[in-house]
Amino acid sequence: MWAAAAVLLLPATGCDRAVDGVASAAPVDDVPEAPADLEPLIVSHVPSELPRLADTEVEPPAGPKTVEDVAQYADDPARERAVLAEYGYRWGWERFWGTGSGALTGVFVDQFAHRVGADAYAADLAANEADRYGGLLQDDPPELPGGCWLLVVDGDPPPPGLTGPAALSWCGHGVFSVSVTAVAGTTDAAREEVRAVLRAQLQRLPPR
């Protein structure tokens, strides 16, 4: 069982700020209407050619995610459910690739009722994970699409929850929050994996 993946799956907790702004949903025909409809939109391979991990090989299992699933990652599930409701969280999907060497790539796509919630969720996740792992959080880094955040963490020694040099990214994309993480042999390799996988994933989603 992949314990490292379980750490990367932890959501933002303790986000007290209100999700302000005008709710602007994409046309219903353009977005999935159930978690199963989201699965075909998730990238199926990664440039590093890491093997795909079965959903049951990670803990908690990858694959489809509901509000209840995500809330259970938190120390206070009831409070987390309320936070997710504030974001307008609907459902998500997670997928991983990895090897026994510790190299790991993860893709997280979460769908919301409106783009305001998706953007706020991505921003809060980025801030929380930067506090957790350290490193420099970059807003709108030149190597990623606009509206994204990038965190690069040196793995010497790796912080708890990571097995080596890592790059983590978060983006709001319409009613979706998209996150890609990569643990690799070097920070440069991790950044390149994140850059390529993130672009591929965003291209598979409905337009903003």
Side-chain angles (χ1 to χ4, degrees), residues 15 20 22 24 37 41 44 86-87 94 148 150 160 171 205:
C15 299
D20 298 322
V22 177
S24 176
D37 298 332
L41 303 180
S44 57
E86 186 175 300
Y87 286 122
E94 297 166 358
C148 296
L150 176 67
C171 301
L205 296 175

Side-chain angles (χ1 to χ4, degrees), residues 32-88:
E33 297 183 7
D37 298 332
L38 185 57
E39 191 274 338
L41 303 180
I42 310 301
V43 293
S44 57
H45 66 280
V46 293
S48 61
E49 299 185 353
L50 290 170
R52 164 93 177 272
L53 295 174
D55 293 342
T56 54
E57 288 185 69
V58 296
E59 179 59 39
K65 296 295 168 181
T66 64
V67 168
E68 190 61 33
D69 293 328
V70 178
Q72 290 303 315
Y73 300 161
D75 294 333
D76 186 346
R79 181 176 183 280
E80 189 71 1
R81 282 192 291 271
V83 171
L84 292 168
E86 186 175 300
Y87 286 122

Side-chain angles (χ1 to χ4, degrees), residues 89-107:
Y89 189 93
R90 301 188 70 187
W91 46 65
W93 201 282
E94 297 166 358
R95 183 167 288 170
F96 290 90
W97 297 257
T99 68
S101 67
L104 182 72
T105 298
V107 172

Side-chain angles (χ1 to χ4, degrees), residues 48-191:
S48 61
E49 299 185 353
L50 290 170
R52 164 93 177 272
L53 295 174
D55 293 342
T56 54
E57 288 185 69
V58 296
E59 179 59 39
K65 296 295 168 181
T66 64
V67 168
E68 190 61 33
D69 293 328
V70 178
Q72 290 303 315
Y73 300 161
D75 294 333
D76 186 346
R79 181 176 183 280
E80 189 71 1
R81 282 192 291 271
V83 171
L84 292 168
E86 186 175 300
Y87 286 122
Y89 189 93
R90 301 188 70 187
W91 46 65
W93 201 282
E94 297 166 358
R95 183 167 288 170
F96 290 90
W97 297 257
T99 68
S101 67
L104 182 72
T105 298
V107 172
F108 312 78
V109 178
D110 296 289
Q111 186 176 333
F112 296 80
H114 46 75
R115 66 179 65 238
V116 173
D119 289 344
Y121 186 80
D124 286 343
L125 274 178
N128 283 9
E129 297 299 76
D131 287 344
R132 178 182 182 185
Y133 292 124
L136 176 63
L137 180 63
Q138 302 175 62
D139 184 359
D140 279 332
E143 64 204 84
L144 299 184
C148 296
W149 292 265
L150 176 67
L151 178 67
V152 178
V153 183
D154 192 343
D156 187 24
L162 296 176
T163 58
L168 304 89
S169 65
W170 302 266
C171 301
H173 181 88
V175 296
F176 301 96
S177 170
V178 179
S179 177
V180 176
T181 68
V183 178
T186 66
T187 54
D188 285 345
R191 290 173 75 130

